[in-house]
Amino acid sequence: MTTTTEQKTLPCIAVESLTGCAGELLVILDNLEQLLPFVRIVSFPFAQSKNECGPVDITFVEGSVSQPHDIEKLKRIRSNSRWLIAIGNCAVWGCVQAGACSRCHVEDMLHAVYGDESPIKALPARPLSDFVHVDAMLSGCPINATQFLSVTASLLKDHLPYITHKPVCLECKLRENPCVLIEKNLPCLGPVTAAGCGALCPSLGAACYGCWGPCQSPQMAAMATILQEKGYQLDEVLSRLQTFGAPDTLFARMKPDAEVA
Amino acid sequence: MMDHCFVLAKDSFAEFFESLSKLGRVYAPVKVSDQSYSFRQVESHEQIAFEALRTILPPKKYFYPTQETILRYNDVQIEEHKPEIDFQILFGVHPCDLAGLGIMDTIFTAGPADSHYLNRRQSSLIVGLSCMPDKHCFCQSMGTDCPESGYDLFLTDIGDDYLLEVRTAAGVKAVDPIMPLLRAAGQDDESRYKAFWSNRAQAFTNGFKPDNLRSVMAMEWDNKIWDEMADRCLSCGNCTPVCPTCYCFDLVDIASLNGTSGERRREWDSCQFVGFAQVAADYNFRPGPVDRLKFWYRHKLHGFDDPFGFQTCVGCGRCTVSCPAGIDDIVSVVQALQATNQAKTKHDAN
Ligand code: SF4
Ligand code: SF4
Ligand code: SF4
Ligand code: SF4
């Protein structure tokens, strides 16, 4: 990519990854054409080979902190970036890897996958905000392109972006879907999951499994009660609620012995 | 005999529908799942679910859309967005929903009037339809079971025919092309009409005595049932979009990447979400599910007593069937509050 003088005056953005599936990166790549007239991409190792490591206006980081070198990289990114934005469930909540770590021991998982001599060092997966100050968090699995572009537009104006934390049920009702939790007794997690996907799963007649991570102030205990009344076992329900990295603190009312950070 | 009343044979309904659809798009309840109906655009009378009682969302969505652009801006000006509004016909609106629209009219026309709402309202024809209550309907308790206004035309099912009431000038215009299909209502039609409404009045199995609603809602603010219900409340907010008289919205500015233009959108919001009452300095004046749930019940049953003098619940039962936690059973809640209140008052009297 050649750099013209005009590009140099544009705000600089970087797209970096820690441990994740790269879903966010694909969404950004898909929408690059819309971004390019307004930003200069100084680093995007997934998409370009020549990357700079100087100061950046906005760095988007996907992936969770799951290995020791992720922590170093994240701290370096923080010190280089004016705005640090966590994108995707992995970066915001820790996603399935954090969900697994809250239910199994990381050592056991490492052994199950790599045997006695693991070539990697694994940490219990954690979201970015456990390690550095994060300016805004845009969840998704993967992120919603419209939300991403609107967050970027706000940041380019130096405004803190608006990101909804209302539940999936709102989007579901605004689409006027029949409720699968009520009508089909499916274990829909829409009431406790953050909106953004447009209630994708219930719109297709399936239960939400919580991939966007928790909504603001999710009523986990009530959700578990309702699902148990529908015949789901408590361990099954808890496992479902924790799959996408919902932290233990949200279950304090249900599991009094849970570690409250 | 009753003024402006005609008889439309059910056999002629297809032609009646044809004639309506020449005026604009027709929206009517259609079946969308085993248990649910939704107002959708219909092209043929055969799509209409005449048996539908409550749709998932009430007809308010046609006047106050779930999402809409309010204004657009760029670096030189702010321009109010004027939506294009086509004439629309809503068919099959039941008494509770007519009352709901009446309440929305009061709210949206209280100054400053909402022009988006009013313009859509003014370019609509409302065709009401009679219904038989199911176990969740309690419009009778709310006094909204017999429509007095809010419609242009109203059809009452009187067996093989409909009794067609023409209420407004727009209604007169709408039936003009089909006058040859209609005949003036006679004595026998009038008795069939009266029989229908008196049978219907007997058919309600759900409800409460509304006379002390006001004082009970005021006195039972600390009743323990609020906490019991709130323990189950998911704060999912489903009770509010489905309610014919919930009108709260959120405003969001969506900036364009070019940094100079954007638009302001409004979207339905819910008082059941924790962020709804969150203000500066992270203060929240309704932080817990119990605060929000009580607020909503109060709004529906007591909050509009002063100064409007009406309750905003019209007894449609939508919240009851849409609450995954089963706690939006207004009738049971009112009955429980009335029971404790009565016990208390008796105790005080002794
Ligand atoms: S289907 Fe799920 S997301 Fe939709 S309203 Fe029901 S519980 Fe909420
Ligand atoms: S409905 Fe739930 S599981 Fe499905 S995409 Fe949305 S947040 Fe993810
Ligand atoms: S409160 Fe419930 S029953 Fe009353 S009008 Fe609203 S949705 Fe219908
Ligand atoms: S629908 Fe029921 S569970 Fe959901 S917010 Fe309303 S009262 Fe609570």
Side-chain angles (χ1 to χ4, degrees):
Chain A
M1 208 182 277
T2 52
T3 312
T4 64
T5 356
E6 192 191 313
Q7 275 177 317
K8 274 202 175 136
T9 63
L10 293 173
C12 304
I13 73 162
V15 184
E16 307 288 353
S17 17
L18 305 178
T19 305
C21 76
E24 286 38 87
L25 308 180
L26 291 171
V27 173
I28 297 178
L29 214 49
D30 258 354
N31 291 278
L32 213 50
E33 263 179 52
Q34 295 189 59
L35 282 180
L36 280 178
F38 307 107
V39 300
R40 188 166 75 90
I41 298 181
V42 293
S43 174
F44 193 170
F46 183 77
Q48 63 188 29
S49 46
K50 193 165 157 257
N51 295 296
E52 302 163 26
C53 55
V56 175
D57 293 302
I58 312 166
T59 306
F60 296 103
V61 181
E62 69 108 38
S64 64
V65 173
S66 306
Q67 303 177 64
H69 62 72
D70 287 340
I71 304 182
E72 291 156 37
K73 186 172 175 184
L74 179 61
K75 290 194 167 148
R76 210 167 48 237
I77 292 171
R78 176 68 275 187
S79 64
N80 268 341
S81 320
R82 207 150 62 81
W83 297 105
L84 170 61
I85 312 301
I87 51 166
N89 185 318
C90 290
V92 175
W93 294 106
C95 205
V96 285
Q97 55 272 41
C101 293
S102 66
R103 291 170 296 168
C104 321
H105 284 292
V106 67
E107 301 303 330
D108 298 343
M109 292 193 290
L110 200 60
H111 191 264
V113 177
Y114 292 102
D116 287 337
E117 295 194 10
S118 165
I120 66 152
K121 279 197 180 139
L123 300 170
R126 308 295 288 268
L128 309 189
S129 58
D130 279 12
F131 301 91
V132 294
H133 171 75
V134 175
D135 296 298
M137 305 197 226
L138 179 67
S139 194
C141 195
I143 49 169
N144 167 324
T146 311
Q147 272 189 323
F148 169 74
L149 292 172
S150 123
V151 163
T152 309
S154 299
L155 293 168
L156 290 176
K157 287 293 261 182
D158 272 341
H159 293 164
L160 262 186
Y162 169 78
I163 299 168
T164 179
H165 296 291
K166 295 171 194 174
V168 171
C169 287
L170 176 67
E171 293 182 327
C172 190
K173 281 279 98 46
L174 298 196
R175 291 181 72 160
E176 209 172 356
N177 294 325
C179 177
V180 300
L181 178 59
I182 294 174
E183 294 196 16
K184 298 204 225 164
N185 287 324
L186 294 180
C188 187
L189 301 188
V192 293
T193 302
C197 67
L200 199 57
C201 300
S203 301
L204 298 167
C208 167
Y209 49 84
C211 81
W212 234 255
C215 65
Q216 190 181 8
S217 195
Q219 300 304 314
M220 294 297 192
M223 188 78 244
T225 305
I226 296 348
L227 292 179
Q228 278 178 275
E229 286 171 3
K230 291 191 180 284
Y232 297 96
Q233 298 302 313
L234 183 60
D235 52 349
E236 190 184 356
V237 168
L238 275 176
S239 173
R240 189 173 172 86
L241 286 168
Q242 287 183 307
T243 300
F244 284 89
D248 267 351
T249 43
L250 294 178
F251 299 90
R253 252 176 87 198
M254 297 162 63
K255 301 193 293 183
D257 49 342
E259 247 182 76
V260 178
Chain B
M1 179 50 212
M2 313 151 75
D3 279 344
H4 306 295
C5 285
F6 301 91
V7 175
L8 170 73
K10 285 187 179 171
D11 285 344
S12 305
F13 185 80
E15 288 153 87
F16 173 69
F17 178 85
E18 274 302 301
S19 166
L20 282 183
S21 48
K22 288 201 182 103
L23 303 173
R25 288 202 189 97
V26 183
Y27 300 95
V30 300
K31 197 171 171 77
V32 293
S33 74
D34 281 351
Q35 298 168 35
S36 295
Y37 298 90
S38 165
F39 273 98
R40 300 274 162 100
Q41 190 184 345
V42 289
E43 311 273 349
S44 143
H45 71 282
E46 282 163 351
Q47 289 169 272
I48 302 174
F50 287 89
E51 77 283 11
L53 287 181
R54 56 188 77 74
T55 46
I56 300 175
L57 294 183
K60 69 177 178 186
K61 66 177 182 175
Y62 291 114
F63 311 106
Y64 168 45
T66 55
Q67 278 152 326
E68 70 176 316
T69 302
I70 294 294
L71 57 85
R72 295 186 204 282
Y73 61 86
N74 57 35
D75 43 358
V76 285
Q77 61 175 3
I78 297 174
E79 200 177 314
E80 193 187 333
H81 175 65
K82 296 237 160 53
E84 272 197 24
I85 294 171
D86 295 327
F87 192 76
Q88 53 185 1
I89 296 108
L90 264 66
F91 176 86
V93 185
H94 295 315
C96 56
D97 280 345
L98 292 174
L101 284 177
I103 291 169
M104 290 299 248
D105 289 349
T106 308
I107 291 161
F108 278 92
T109 52
D114 187 304
S115 59
H116 287 220
Y117 177 90
L118 283 179
N119 292 342
R120 291 195 183 92
R121 197 73 170 91
Q122 275 152 14
S123 68
S124 309
L125 185 86
I126 310 280
V127 186
L129 179 67
S130 64
C131 46
M132 271 294 173
D134 73 359
K135 62 178 181 193
H136 298 299
C137 295
F138 62 102
C139 54
Q140 199 174 38
S141 306
M142 301 314 298
T144 52
D145 52 330
C146 298
E148 267 140 38
S149 63
Y151 57 88
D152 300 290
L153 302 172
F154 194 96
L155 298 178
T156 298
D157 186 334
I158 52 169
D160 293 336
D161 305 302
Y162 289 113
L163 192 120
L164 170 66
E165 290 169 76
V166 182
R167 171 81 200 202
T168 60
V172 172
K173 227 168 111 189
V175 293
D176 190 53
I178 53 147
M179 279 319 275
L181 291 179
L182 306 176
R183 64 174 169 79
Q187 203 93 66
D188 166 59
D189 308 312
E190 190 176 340
S191 358
R192 284 194 288 163
Y193 174 87
K194 284 187 177 150
F196 172 87
W197 288 100
S198 94
N199 285 340
R200 177 171 177 278
Q202 303 298 313
F204 284 89
T205 54
N206 196 26
F208 48 82
K209 283 209 184 73
D211 27 321
N212 64 349
L213 195 52
R214 210 175 160 134
S215 61
V216 164
M217 284 307 290
M219 287 166 74
E220 296 302 325
W221 193 240
D222 294 318
N223 196 301
K224 67 177 190 319
I225 74 162
W226 299 120
D227 294 297
E228 289 163 10
M229 288 197 293
D231 276 345
R232 298 177 57 84
C233 180
L234 298 159
S235 294
C236 66
N238 284 357
C239 37
T240 67
V242 304
C243 179
T245 66
C246 274
Y247 47 76
C248 284
F249 56 80
D250 204 353
L251 283 172
V252 190
D253 286 348
I254 314 225
S256 301
L257 284 163
N258 64 22
T260 55
S261 64
E263 65 176 58
R264 176 166 294 179
R265 268 187 223 160
R266 79 166 162 194
E267 178 181 281
W268 293 5
D269 201 357
S270 173
C271 59
Q272 298 309 296
F273 301 149
V274 67
F276 187 87
Q278 198 167 357
V279 292
D282 222 12
Y283 183 72
N284 197 318
F285 48 93
R286 285 193 286 272
V290 68
D291 308 309
R292 303 193 286 272
L293 192 68
K294 270 161 75 163
F295 169 80
W296 182 79
Y297 267 90
R298 185 188 153 86
H299 189 182
K300 294 295 138 186
L301 297 173
H302 186 43
F304 272 61
D305 287 345
D306 305 307
F308 287 108
F310 56 72
Q311 280 100 22
T312 62
C313 173
V314 295
C316 70
R318 280 190 181 87
C319 54
T320 310
V321 302
S322 310
C323 173
I327 53 173
D328 267 331
D329 188 347
I330 295 208
V331 173
S332 311
V333 171
V334 169
Q335 284 169 346
L337 294 177
Q338 283 175 332
T340 29
N341 192 258
Q342 198 182 10
K344 253 191 244 164
T345 348
K346 265 202 192 127
H347 184 259
D348 290 350
N350 289 338

